[in-house]
Amino acid sequence: MTILNADLHCHSTVSDGTLEPEILAERAKTRGVELWSLTDHDEIGGQQRARTAALALGLPYLTGVEISVTFCNLTVHIVGLGFDPANDALVRGLERTRGGRGERAQEMGAGLAKVGIPGAYEGALKYAGNPELISRTHFARFLVETGVCRDNNEVFRKYLADGKPGFVPHRWAALGDAVRWIREAGGVAVIAHPARYDQSPTQEYALFSEFKAHGGQGVEVVCGSHAASEYPKYAELALEFGLAASRGSDFHSPDESRIDLGDLPLLEGRLTPVWELLADRIQTA
Ligand code: AMP
Ligand code: MN
Ligand code: MN
Ligand code: MN
């Protein structure tokens, strides 16, 4: 049970992925995933569909979500796994977290209009399968489709990163709240893609310490948003902080994602896989 091709991080049309939950389940199964979780941003509306599709394929499933958090003025993401999706505090917390996205998107559109890109809000909205979850990814798709940029990376670099014309600062959930919602719903909280944050070593240490103090239990070590050269550092940090290790592609789209479902290397044997903490939450039938 320890070594598994587990893929515990990906996105569907319910947030900023391009595939429906059922299609993702099939893709995961076909590509050899042995334990799967759909982790849409700030939204669990796809969980029932993902779970039903996975179980019909004989693919073990864990409930999942990726919560947007503001920690020391920086956006970080916390993945929740194995929680009860009917938990009231979690459902209300997620509702509040995604609440400001519509207004933020309109402001992003206004920012882009000022630099000569009109209609971006309306354009992005067309790509959002779920308008409540309109995100920077949907703006990126619009700007690529209309030929303003070559790919999403260029869009983020020129228009959507902090300080760029389409960037609108936003306050997401507090770290302690996100971890508490997940825990109180019976799940395990995991720091998503720690290498992606623009943090000094001191800030990173503070994130890990506070996360742990709030009851967080895991960290992504092998992850589609990390370079392979970054895995060892986070394996060490997992051991240092006594955190379990998670593994997930962060797959969004066949056209955009570098790493597909199930494609990552397995976790090292010296790490505790996060699914060992979740053995009784894995759904198989
Ligand atoms: P938001 O939650 O609206 O701030 O959007 C964040 C999403 O943008 C992330 O979940 C990623 O899917 C995507 N993203 C962030 N940075 C980049 C990047 N440099 N290149 C491509 N996609 C990115
Ligand atoms: Mn995303
Ligand atoms: Mn993320
Ligand atoms: Mn993600």
Side-chain angles (χ1 to χ4, degrees):
M1 160 79 178
T2 297
I3 304 296
L4 271 187
N5 186 349
D7 197 320
L8 306 179
H9 189 154
C10 71
H11 299 273
S12 76
T13 47
V14 170
S15 63
D16 61 349
T18 61
L19 303 181
E20 302 286 336
E22 291 81 4
I23 306 296
L24 282 170
E26 269 172 45
R27 194 175 182 98
K29 176 72 182 175
T30 305
R31 302 184 60 86
V33 173
E34 296 167 300
L35 172 64
W36 180 53
S37 181
L38 172 66
T39 55
D40 278 311
H41 296 286
D42 308 322
E43 170 64 274
I44 53 177
Q47 291 304 305
Q48 188 58 40
R49 290 172 62 187
R51 173 181 175 276
T52 304
L55 299 193
L57 293 161
L59 172 60
Y61 188 74
L62 277 170
T63 51
V65 70
E66 182 177 18
I67 305 182
S68 311
V69 159
T70 301
F71 176 74
C72 296
N73 290 322
L74 194 79
T75 298
V76 305
H77 288 169
I78 300 296
V79 163
L81 297 170
F83 51 81
D84 168 12
N87 182 275
D88 234 31
L90 174 68
V91 168
R92 277 185 284 113
L94 292 176
E95 248 167 42
R96 251 185 293 133
T97 305
R98 62 182 181 259
R101 279 187 181 267
E103 220 172 292
R104 169 192 188 235
Q106 292 190 29
E107 284 181 48
M108 289 170 64
L112 291 168
K114 278 198 193 133
V115 295
I117 304 169
Y121 169 69
E122 295 75 12
L125 202 52
K126 282 194 207 128
Y127 289 91
N130 176 1
E132 255 194 75
L133 256 294
I134 186 165
S135 83
R136 286 187 288 165
T137 311
H138 302 113
F139 280 83
R141 290 191 185 129
F142 171 72
L143 295 188
V144 171
E145 201 69 18
T146 51
V148 176
C149 292
R150 235 180 13 256
D151 56 27
N152 286 8
N153 244 327
E154 187 186 345
V155 181
F156 274 85
R157 200 160 30 82
K158 289 190 176 159
Y159 295 106
L160 300 181
D162 195 346
K164 301 298 173 185
F167 182 80
V168 174
H170 195 74
R171 187 149 291 278
W172 304 105
L175 178 64
D177 287 342
V179 173
R180 188 169 43 79
W181 298 333
I182 295 164
R183 273 185 68 90
E184 289 184 359
V188 165
V190 175
I191 301 174
H193 43 62
R196 270 242 319 257
Y197 311 129
D198 189 14
Q199 280 182 316
S200 68
T202 311
Q203 288 169 319
E204 185 169 71
Y205 194 88
L207 171 64
F208 274 67
S209 307
E210 290 205 24
F211 172 74
K212 176 94 182 170
H214 285 301
Q217 292 173 280
V219 59
E220 286 182 347
V221 171
V222 171
C223 156
S225 298
H226 283 184
S229 59
E230 291 165 329
Y231 303 158
K233 171 178 171 186
Y234 291 97
E236 289 305 327
L237 275 180
L239 293 170
E240 181 182 341
F241 281 87
L243 296 170
S246 193
R247 173 178 187 273
S249 57
D250 205 357
F251 180 77
H252 283 70
S253 161
D255 300 325
E256 297 165 12
S257 297
R258 191 172 51 87
I259 304 285
D260 211 317
L261 288 158
D263 270 1
L264 290 167
L266 299 172
L267 285 181
E268 294 175 55
R270 66 192 177 122
L271 300 170
T272 302
V274 71
W275 49 93
E276 280 194 358
L277 309 182
L278 288 161
D280 61 341
R281 315 291 307 189
I282 296 175
Q283 303 175 57
T284 51

